[in-house]
Amino acid sequence: MDLIYVQIISELKLWQLHLGLLVNFGLQKVEIERIPFTEKEKTIYENYDYIRDCSAQRDREILARLRDAILYVFEVHGLGYHDVTYRQILEKELDFQQIKYQNRTPIEVNYEGEIISVFKMKPFLIENRIICDIKALHEKIDFYDIAKIQSYLTGKDHNMNEAKNFSQQQRAMNRHEFLGTTTAAAAFTIVPRHVLGGPGFVPPSDKINLTMIGVGGQGIHDMSQFLQISEVQVVAVCDVAKYNHFSNAPTEETSGREPARQRVDQHYAQQSGNGSYTGCAAYADFYEMLEKETGIDAVAVATTDNLHAFAAMAAIKRGKHVYCQKPLTHDVWEARQLTLAAREKKVMTQMGNQGHAGEGNRLVVEWIADGAIGAVREAHCWTDRPAGWWPQGVDRPQETPSLPPTLDWDRWLGPAPLRSFHPIYAPFNWRGWWDFGTGALGDMGCHILDTPVWALNLGHPTSVQASSTPVNNETGPLASMVSYEFPARGKMPAAKLVWYDGGVMPARPAELEDGRRLGAYDGGCLFIGDKGKLMCAMFGDQARLIPESKMQAYKLPPKTIERVPGIYQDFINSIKTGKPACSNFEVSGPLTEIVLLGNLAVRMPGQRLLWDGEKMEVKNVPEANKFVKREYREGWSLL
C-alpha cells in the first residue's frame, strides 16, 4: 500500500481547512479501515509528566487537544486504552524519530490564530496502515459509511477545492476551534489565512473604532480576532495589569495592556507597509478610557465576570456598541439591567458564546423543530469543568504574597469586597471564586445550555434546585447537579433541564451503542423526546440521533435558520447594518439569567426554589434572594 499522509483531526471543526491543505500538499490515497487491537498496536495515551510541567494554560490547552485528537482516532478504530505514554509510542514502539521537547509544545500558535511552528514528525503509521479520524466528516457524510468516507477524501465524490474555498470565507476563527485541530506530518507547513485570501481593503473613514476592556488570555484572543476584520480599527486597550505574570511560563509577559498595545501597533505597522505605527493607547481604568477616547464606536469586554456588567454598562450609557464575553454578568439582576439598558440606548450587542453563531446549534434547533425525536420533555447537559482547569471547593488562602508591581489590585477587585492579593486568584484562577467568577456553570453554561434553551424556546423556569459536593462561601463546589423546571411553551410541553459539572454525567442511554462516547470529551447535551433521543457536543456539534440506525433513516430537514459568518464578524456586521447580532443581549441576557439562577440554587443546596422570573424573586425561600443581586463595595454602582 502506498502511504502518503496521516491526518489527525479533533472533534472541534476546521476539517475543511485541513482537507484543502491536504489536497494542496499532494494527497493521493487514503485507506480507512477498522483496525483490530494487537499487542503492538497500543493506544497513544498521554504524556502526563510533560503536561504537568507546562504551567502556561495556553500550552496545556494545546497539548490536551492534541492528546484527545490522537486518542479519538484510536477509539474510532476499536483500539483499547493502555498505559503507554505518548513519548514511548513516539520514540520506541513505532520507531519515530526522536523528539526532544525542550520545554516546548508540539505545536506553537500565535495570537492571530496561525500555527507558527510544528515539530517535524514522521506520519503516524501502524503496520503500514493509515489512520484517519472519520468523525470530523460527520456533517458531510454518513458516520459509519467507510467506503463513502474514503471516496470523499480521495476526491471521487466532491470538488477537491471545496474545503479550501470554505476556509477562504472565514472572517474569524474561534481559539478553541483552532487549537482543537492538530496535524502531525514530516516537514509540514500551515499556510496563513491571509495568504489564502483575506478581506478587501477598507478605507479608514469606514472603519469601526474598537477598544478592548480586559486583555488577559481571553481578551488577547478576542483582540486577535477583531484585528483580522478589515472593518475594525483597534484604537485603545485597557487592563488593570500592565503585564500579566504567569509563573514558569515560556514568557512571563504574555498579556496585559502593554503586550496588547504592542501587538496592535505591530499589526497595523505590518499593514501600513512602512513598519511604523503607534496609534493604540493603553489605559488601566476603563472609565478614564471611555471619557478620553471620544471617537470610540464599540468596546469588547473580557474582564473577570465580576466586572463584565460594569464595563458593558459604562459603554452602553455612552451609546457604544458592546461585545461582552460570557457569562454576560456576575448575577441575575445585572443581566436584566444590561438587557434593559441596551434596549433603551438602541446599541448593537453580542455575547461571546461563539456556538450561537455556529452550524451545530442551528442543526439541532432545526431537527427538533422538525420533530426528529418528537416532543422533548427532558434535556441533560454536562461539562468536565472545573476539574483540571481552576480550583473550586477550597477556602481562602491565609498567606499574603507580595503584590506584583504591574498590577492595580484595587481596580482588579472592582466591586468585590477587599481582600489581599494572592496568585490563586489572578491572573487566571479567579473563575472558581464567588467574588470574582461564576464557576463551572457560569463558564460553560452559556455555551452548553444555549443549545437546549434555543432549541426548546425556554424562558423563565418555574423552579430550580441543586445538589453538589460541599459548598462554601468562597468557591463553587467540585461538582454539582442543577435541575430546572420550565412550563409549557405554545405547543411545546413542560420540560426539565438538568446540568452536571465536575465530571458528573447523566446515565448512559440504552440506545447508545457500546464503544461510542456520550457527547464529547469536554461535555455535551442529551435530548429525550417522545419518539427518540438526540445527543450532541458543545455548541451543538456532532449532533446525532441515537442509535445510529435512526440517524441513517432520518431525512434531514431544510436549513431554515439564517447562517452567520462567526461571532465576531456578526457583531461588526450588526453595527454596520443595524440588524441585531445573533447573540445580542435580548437573546443572551435571558440565557445568562437561566445560567446564573443555577448558581443561586447551588448556594442554597437541597432546596427546591420557586422562581418568579418577571420579578427576579425566589418566592418560597426569601434568604436566597441575596444571591439575585450582590452587594457592591463602597464607591461602586451599576446604575
Side-chain angles (χ1 to χ4, degrees), residues 378-384 448 480-483 496-510 512 516-520 522-528 533-536 546:
E378 199 171 323
H380 299 262
C381 300
W382 63 95
T383 181
D384 62 339
I448 301 175
S480 68
M481 183 173 75
V482 180
S483 297
K496 179 181 180 181
L497 175 61
V498 186
W499 167 264
Y500 312 79
D501 59 42
V504 182
M505 293 179 63
R508 183 181 180 87
L512 186 62
R516 290 185 68 183
R517 176 186 283 145
L518 178 60
D522 57 354
C525 295
L526 175 67
F527 293 84
I528 301 176
K533 294 183 175 69
L534 183 156
M535 74 172 185
C536 64
I546 56 174

Side-chain angles (χ1 to χ4, degrees), residues 234-298:
V234 178
V235 297
V237 296
C238 177
D239 200 284
V240 296
K242 185 175 183 179
Y243 300 101
N244 275 323
H245 292 266
F246 294 86
S247 62
N248 302 319
T251 58
E252 287 188 345
E253 297 163 358
T254 57
S255 63
R257 62 180 180 270
E258 273 308 303
R261 181 191 62 77
Q262 293 167 12
R263 286 194 179 106
V264 173
D265 285 348
Q266 290 169 3
H267 175 82
Y268 292 128
Q270 292 173 357
Q271 281 194 348
S272 69
N274 60 20
S276 175
Y277 181 88
T278 56
C280 181
Y283 295 86
D285 184 342
F286 60 80
Y287 289 112
E288 178 188 3
M289 180 184 71
L290 290 170
E291 288 299 319
K292 290 185 176 180
E293 299 292 329
T294 57
I296 294 173
D297 299 307

Side-chain angles (χ1 to χ4, degrees), residues 452-567:
V453 168
W454 189 0
L456 303 181
N457 193 28
L458 299 177
H460 296 305
T462 54
S463 72
V464 60
Q465 58 183 311
S467 60
S468 71
T469 56
V471 180
N472 62 43
N473 291 325
E474 294 290 344
T475 59
L478 291 173
S480 68
M481 183 173 75
V482 180
S483 297
Y484 303 85
E485 293 179 341
F486 294 87
R489 291 115 21 243
K491 295 182 179 180
M492 291 184 170
K496 179 181 180 181
L497 175 61
V498 186
W499 167 264
Y500 312 79
D501 59 42
V504 182
M505 293 179 63
R508 183 181 180 87
E511 295 88 344
L512 186 62
E513 297 90 342
D514 291 343
R516 290 185 68 183
R517 176 186 283 145
L518 178 60
Y521 75 96
D522 57 354
C525 295
L526 175 67
F527 293 84
I528 301 176
D530 291 345
K531 299 179 181 178
K533 294 183 175 69
L534 183 156
M535 74 172 185
C536 64
M538 184 166 61
F539 308 142
D541 290 347
Q542 305 160 28
R544 307 296 291 179
L545 305 186
I546 56 174
E548 183 62 24
S549 58
K550 283 202 170 185
M551 189 72 237
Q552 298 296 333
Y554 179 51
K555 182 180 179 181
L556 298 180
K559 295 183 178 182
T560 56
I561 302 172
E562 180 185 5
R563 268 56 179 172
V564 297
I567 202 79

Side-chain angles (χ1 to χ4, degrees), residues 138-212:
H138 79 276
E139 289 183 359
K140 281 287 185 182
I141 52 185
D142 295 335
F143 189 88
Y144 288 116
D145 193 339
I146 301 298
K148 195 170 182 182
I149 295 168
Q150 181 172 329
S151 180
Y152 186 89
L153 285 176
T154 53
K156 296 175 184 177
D157 272 2
H158 78 308
N159 180 350
M160 297 290 274
N161 291 319
E162 176 188 353
K164 178 182 169 186
N165 290 340
F166 180 91
S167 70
Q168 292 176 355
Q169 297 168 9
Q170 304 306 296
R171 308 297 290 273
M173 185 187 303
N174 170 267
R175 181 166 183 250
H176 289 295
E177 292 173 355
F178 183 83
L179 296 184
T181 305
T182 58
T183 304
F188 188 79
T189 303
I190 292 292
V191 180
R193 183 171 60 85
H194 62 79
V195 174
L196 294 177
F201 174 74
V202 177
S205 59
D206 293 339
K207 286 182 178 287
I208 293 166
N209 290 331
L210 177 79
T211 63
M212 303 296 305

Side-chain angles (χ1 to χ4, degrees), residues 332 610-620 622 625 628:
V332 172
L610 302 181
W611 180 243
D612 185 329
E614 291 299 324
K615 294 181 179 179
M616 293 184 289
E617 179 180 278
V618 177
K619 296 185 291 184
N620 62 326
N625 288 307
V628 174

